[in-house]
Amino acid sequence: MQRITPSGALFRRALQSCRAGIAIAPIAVSAAIALASSGALAVPPRGGAANLAMIGEPQTLDPMASTADLVGTIMLHVYELLYTFDANWNVAPMLAESLPAISNGGLVYTIPLRKGVKFHNGREMTSDDVLASLKRWMDMAPRGKAVAKEIKSLEAKGPNTIVITLNRAYAPLLAHLALPNGFAAIMSKDSIATPLTQFVGTGPYMFKERKPDQYVQLVRFDGYSARKETASGYAGQRVALLDELRFIPVPNANTRVEGSLSGQYHFADLLPVESYARLESAPNVRAVLTAPFGFPYLVLNTKQGPLANVALRQAVQMALNNADMLGAGFGDPKFYSADANHYAKNTPFYSMAGTEHYGKGDAKGAAALVAAAKYDGTPIKILTSQQYDFHYRIALVMAENLKAAGFKIDMQVVDWSTLIQRRNDPALWDIYITHSAVLPEPTLTPPQLGDGAPGWWSSPAKDAALAAFNAETDPKKRGALWGNIQSVVFTEVPYIRVGNFNSVTARSAKLDGYVAMPWPFFWNTGLQK
């Protein structure tokens, strides 16, 4: 078994600030990542194809068009970013040559680009490609749109340098450029289109074929330009040891378990917690328990339908028994914790602001709010999927909590790809269930803290709290300001953080060099012969 647990030293190191007082090393609040024991001492072999069982079919392969983890997981092998996160959740350069030079006052970021980096079409990356990619990201992606509001100008300074000038100091900039989710992928300029029809990046693997409901096939890019630094998390040297990666949609969680045990799959993502004991005892499988992994959360539609009324969103929050939802989703308490605060006590972003509203399970009080808000009986459309089994179980308990408070419920169980499509239309849902890893920079997740993400949360209180938080570059002062944002979340209820959970995944004992991170990756990973 591999177990990933928090590191106290990691939290202390993350308090360091960088040039000109700008904090670009984000705070590490999720699991500290340990190297997989079987691959840490020897270089894995080269060659072979890995079968990777994922939770379903990606609705797109455009990494900017979706914040779905599945899309990011697949396409971070094809596309790279200017920056990324190392194993300690510090920002590290990837396609950028180094961390940026930052002017006094933190308004101008001068980013040198690596030279000689080839795209999959054989063309060398230049600043023109980077500018075109970043502009597309700022037009399309929720986090990109949020960043765009902070940028005064984006320009090239020769073929190997870009300059970002901000309207005001913006502490999360590099963390946003490093996040592999709805991400700022650097694309070959001549491949950019909407929708994308060519997937031309700089990554260690390149796109070969997609057969819907069968696989997405990536193959080694022999012209890959690797960094020289020691591999660490997503950072450092990346080597494509495997000839081929096959991301296989396996919507049924139990099928993913059985396929792992039989040897059909070399990796299986997000498995039911009940399978942990079987996986742990199987000789041909290595169970991976990531503790803590992240948090399930409920997104509420603030734009249209009954829950556009903030009083009804507050009634939903009051009605929910979070501990019961987590118990239904994960069973054994070793797999979850009912924590109201967004960040743990051993992090600078710890705050209890607003947490008096968490997990009350007060049906009577919620019913009073429902009546006062003059709820007209329109059914609350709950959108969920069984591909993440804990989403569905949480939804069942949530529905009963809401019925007890006087809401009518329309439960819609769909495949994950359909859910991702439907959540973009505010007429089709009122609540959907999803989850996120716990990430080092609070504004990275949930996407609802940005602009334009499904849920469409927008308010003066949100804007004011986020503006103050993002403009503060002192890590200690940012910690205190996060509490103001958390308070607004509990008051306006754009989403409800259910609690924390530990994830279970599985890898074949033959898969060497695998390193567990929230978005799985398979460079530096090989198969025993």
Side-chain angles (χ1 to χ4, degrees):
M1 179 197 77
Q2 299 161 283
R3 185 179 179 90
I4 305 161
T5 54
S7 164
L10 179 57
F11 292 93
R12 293 192 293 273
R13 288 197 300 273
L15 285 172
Q16 298 172 347
S17 60
C18 296
R19 301 181 187 129
I22 303 297
I24 61 175
I27 307 305
V29 295
S30 69
I33 306 300
L35 288 176
S37 58
S38 64
L41 299 178
V43 177
R46 186 180 176 93
N51 294 322
L52 312 167
M54 311 309 288
I55 62 97
E57 180 76 13
Q59 87 281 11
T60 179
L61 294 180
D62 185 340
M64 298 181 188
S66 175
T67 58
D69 287 343
L70 178 59
V71 177
T73 294
I74 295 172
M75 298 312 286
L76 65 85
H77 295 81
V78 175
Y79 292 108
E80 295 179 304
L81 304 99
L82 290 176
Y83 295 99
T84 192
F85 292 114
D86 68 15
N88 292 330
W89 290 104
N90 298 308
V91 172
M94 180 49 64
L95 291 177
E97 179 64 36
S98 62
L99 292 174
I102 305 174
S103 68
N104 290 334
L107 296 183
V108 181
Y109 285 61
T110 301
I111 301 175
L113 304 177
R114 292 171 58 201
K115 299 176 182 178
V117 173
K118 295 293 183 65
F119 284 109
H120 299 153
N121 59 11
R123 199 172 59 74
E124 186 170 336
M125 179 190 73
T126 71
S127 55
D128 286 344
D129 300 292
V130 175
L131 290 184
S133 299
L134 293 181
K135 287 176 181 177
R136 184 178 190 268
W137 176 66
M138 291 189 292
D139 286 341
M140 290 187 65
R143 295 182 185 89
K145 291 177 181 179
V147 170
K149 288 184 175 182
E150 309 296 331
I151 292 180
K152 182 178 180 180
S153 65
L154 179 63
E155 56 189 342
K157 188 178 179 181
N160 301 113
T161 304
I162 65 165
V163 179
I164 300 174
T165 303
L166 302 173
N167 295 312
R168 55 189 172 182
Y170 184 63
L173 176 62
L174 293 191
H176 279 280
L177 293 177
L179 183 69
N181 173 272
F183 63 94
I186 305 305
M187 305 174 171
S188 179
K189 182 180 179 180
D190 49 14
S191 73
I192 290 178
T194 302
L196 285 180
T197 57
Q198 302 176 66
F199 306 98
V200 184
T202 61
Y205 287 89
M206 56 186 182
F207 175 79
K208 183 175 182 181
E209 184 181 24
R210 178 183 184 179
K211 287 194 173 181
D213 299 320
Q214 294 185 51
Y215 57 78
V216 174
Q217 182 187 26
L218 309 181
V219 296
R220 182 193 297 113
F221 174 41
D222 290 328
Y224 179 64
S225 304
R227 294 193 69 92
K228 304 302 182 185
E229 299 92 337
T230 301
S232 173
Y234 299 107
Q237 189 176 53
R238 298 177 174 183
V239 180
L241 295 169
L242 292 160
D243 296 331
E244 178 184 339
L245 304 177
R246 288 193 291 260
F247 293 90
I248 302 169
V250 186
N252 185 284
N254 289 324
T255 302
R256 296 199 296 277
V257 173
E258 298 303 327
S260 295
L261 292 169
S262 70
Q264 181 180 1
Y265 306 129
H266 298 105
F267 174 84
D269 203 17
L270 287 174
L271 304 176
V273 293
E274 295 88 349
S275 67
Y276 180 70
R278 289 183 67 202
L279 293 167
E280 190 179 22
S281 62
N284 62 326
V285 176
R286 300 293 179 264
V288 182
L289 177 65
T290 307
F293 174 83
F295 56 95
Y297 66 101
L298 321 173
V299 181
L300 282 65
N301 186 344
T302 70
K303 183 176 184 178
Q304 185 173 333
L307 300 187
N309 183 335
V310 66
L312 288 179
R313 298 201 300 273
Q314 291 169 345
V316 169
Q317 180 173 251
M318 181 175 286
L320 297 182
N321 186 318
N322 294 46
D324 283 355
M325 289 192 292
L326 290 164
F330 302 101
D332 192 325
K334 77 178 181 181
F335 294 112
Y336 71 88
S337 60
D339 299 315
N341 43 295
H342 281 49
Y343 284 85
K345 285 185 179 180
N346 56 349
T347 73
F349 295 124
Y350 171 70
S351 173
M352 293 300 290
T355 57
E356 66 273 13
H357 300 295
Y358 174 83
K360 286 186 170 297
D362 182 354
K364 186 175 180 180
L369 292 179
V370 168
K374 296 182 170 53
Y375 170 59
D376 64 4
T378 300
I380 304 299
K381 297 186 285 291
I382 297 174
L383 198 56
T384 190
S385 171
Q386 289 182 299
Q387 285 163 255
Y388 293 109
D389 67 308
F390 62 95
H391 288 191
Y392 177 66
R393 297 177 188 181
I394 286 171
L396 293 177
V397 174
M398 174 177 61
E400 294 306 312
N401 286 167
L402 296 183
K403 288 175 185 177
F407 287 105
K408 293 183 179 179
I409 300 300
D410 176 10
M411 179 78 77
Q412 300 184 7
V413 183
V414 298
D415 63 82
W416 185 244
S417 180
T418 299
L419 186 151
I420 296 298
Q421 292 172 347
R422 287 190 184 180
R423 72 180 184 181
N424 292 318
D425 185 342
L428 298 181
W429 63 277
D430 298 300
I431 301 174
Y432 77 83
I433 298 91
T434 186
H435 68 273
S436 171
V438 180
L439 296 175
E441 162 57 45
T443 60
L444 294 181
T445 189
Q448 287 69 31
L449 290 174
D451 291 334
W456 303 281
W457 180 38
S458 178
S459 77
K462 170 193 175 181
D463 292 344
L466 277 170
F469 180 72
N470 289 334
E472 180 54 66
T473 60
D474 184 326
K476 294 181 181 178
K477 293 180 180 178
R478 292 189 83 218
L481 290 170
W482 168 251
N484 296 336
I485 299 173
Q486 183 173 290
S487 180
V488 175
V489 170
F490 276 110
T491 300
E492 299 192 352
V493 203
Y495 63 85
I496 296 171
R497 194 181 190 281
V498 182
N500 294 317
F501 77 100
N502 305 333
S503 76
V504 176
T505 58
R507 69 169 180 87
S508 167
K510 293 183 178 181
L511 190 68
D512 279 346
Y514 175 73
V515 176
M517 293 287 279
W519 292 274
F521 63 85
F522 302 94
W523 55 81
N524 302 341
T525 301
L527 281 171
Q528 296 175 15
K529 303 299 183 183

